[in-house]
Amino acid sequence: MQDTAPLVVGIDVGGTKTQLRAYAGDTLVADHIRSSGGWRPHDPVAAAGWLAALAAEALPAGVRPSALAVGGHACETPRQCAQIRTALQLHFDAPALVVGDAELLVPAAGVEKGVGLVAGTGSVAVGRFADGTPVQVGGWGALLGDEGGAAGLVREAVRAVWAAHDRGEEPDALAHGLLAGFDVPEVPALGAALEHVTAASAEWGRHAPAVFAAAEAGSPLARTVITEAGHALAALVARLAARGVVVDDVVVAGSTVLAQPPLYDAFVSALAESVPTARPRPLRAPPVEGAVAMARSLV
C-alpha cells in the first residue's frame, strides 16, 4: 500500500470525540472515531502515547504513517504542542505536526488564510500572523471565559436571572428552565448549583438548550444573553484583527453555534458591525480533513 503512495494520517482530538483519517494518495485507508477519554495534553509523553495507541488501533496491521498531523483539544500554546510533537518521535519515524484543534478549521474549509472560530462547549478563535506564528484568543474555560460557548451561555444566563431576581422581577421562562435543569427550588440556589459541579464546562454546558428554549418561548432575558454571546464571539475575531491577523475569512465550527441559528445569526450581525470585511463561513467538512491537509503538506 505504501509502495504506491505515502500514507498520511490526520487526527482531530476534540473535547468529546476523536477522529482519525488516513489516506494513501486519494484512497481512504482508515476513518476511525472514538471517545477522547484519557487525552492528557498537558502531559506530552502521555499524550503522545495516547496518539500512538489510537493509530495502532485504527490503522491496518503493519501500516506506518509517512506523515502525521494532529489537532489537539486543550493544546493551547506552541510550546505545549511542540512538546507533544517531540514525544511523538518516540513512536513514529515520520514528519509530524501538532496544533490546537481550532487550527484545523481553516485548512478543512480549503481556505489559505483566515480565522478558525469554535463555539461548542467552550469558545476560542485562532489565526496566524504574517510570519506564520499562531495566535489564539479566548478559550479561557467556563469559570473565566468561553463566552458564546455552551458553558459561558449558561453562566451568563444565571447571572441574568440573578439580576432580574435582585430587581424584584418574577421568574420568567429562562429562570424556570434553569431551575428545572439544575433541580433547585428558587433562583438564589442557582449559585450553589453551579459551584458544586465537578466539571464546570461539561456540566454547565449541558444546560445550554434551556437558554435557547426560553428565548423561543419569548424570554427577553434569554434573547439578550444570546445576543450578547454573539457579540462576544465577534469580539474574538475583532481582537485578532486588531493584532494584525488576516480575518477576511472566518471559518465557524462548534456544536453550539452551528446548531443554534439564533446564536449564529447574532454572531454574523455583530461581526458585520465590528469587522465589516470579514466573511463568516460555516464549516461543512469534518475538522479532521484539516489535519489530513496538514499531514499532506509534510510529505
Side-chain angles (χ1 to χ4, degrees):
M1 185 183 306
Q2 289 178 274
D3 291 339
T4 57
L7 184 80
V8 296
V9 176
I11 303 175
D12 170 29
V13 186
T16 302
K17 72 173 185 177
T18 291
Q19 184 169 12
L20 177 150
R21 280 190 179 177
Y23 290 86
D26 294 328
T27 302
L28 182 65
V29 174
D31 189 4
H32 182 75
I33 296 176
R34 57 153 292 176
S35 163
S36 296
W39 170 243
R40 294 163 56 194
H42 296 286
D43 182 338
V45 173
W50 190 90
L51 292 167
L54 170 66
E57 174 185 315
L59 296 176
V63 171
R64 304 283 293 176
S66 299
L68 175 75
V70 180
H73 174 71
C75 191
E76 295 161 338
T77 68
R79 180 179 179 221
Q80 181 189 359
C81 292
Q83 288 174 334
I84 297 174
R85 182 190 62 77
T86 298
L88 272 175
Q89 302 304 307
L90 299 174
H91 301 276
F92 300 106
D93 183 19
L97 177 65
V98 179
V99 298
D101 57 343
E103 287 201 53
L104 303 183
L105 306 188
V106 170
V111 176
E112 185 175 347
K113 293 181 180 179
V115 167
L117 174 72
V118 179
T121 301
S123 63
V124 67
V126 300
R128 288 183 178 268
F129 293 124
D131 64 359
T133 302
V135 57
Q136 171 181 312
V137 297
W140 295 108
L143 298 181
L144 299 176
D146 281 355
E147 294 87 351
L153 276 161
V154 172
R155 183 192 64 233
E156 296 309 308
V158 170
R159 288 171 59 88
V161 166
W162 272 352
H165 175 80
D166 286 349
R167 293 192 297 268
E169 299 173 11
E170 290 296 318
D172 75 345
L174 180 59
H176 287 300
L178 292 172
L179 293 175
F182 283 99
D183 193 24
V184 294
E186 55 188 353
V187 167
L190 285 169
L194 261 66
E195 289 178 351
H196 290 165
V197 301
T198 56
S201 290
E203 295 185 47
W204 294 2
R206 68 185 180 88
H207 296 286
V211 180
F212 295 100
E216 188 173 354
S219 166
L221 289 179
R223 290 175 177 173
T224 297
V225 168
I226 293 167
T227 297
E228 291 178 351
H231 278 81
L233 293 175
L236 295 178
V237 180
R239 207 165 298 152
L240 288 173
R243 295 180 64 181
V245 173
V246 175
V247 300
D248 292 346
D249 288 293
V250 181
V251 182
V252 184
S255 56
T256 300
V257 69
L258 293 187
Q260 298 291 351
L263 177 59
Y264 184 79
D265 292 345
F267 160 69
V268 170
S269 177
L271 187 66
E273 294 177 7
S274 58
V275 192
T277 58
R279 297 181 293 268
R281 302 166 57 111
L283 183 64
R284 303 303 182 194
V288 70
E289 286 294 334
V292 170
M294 289 181 169
R296 291 190 192 279
S297 73
L298 300 175
V299 177

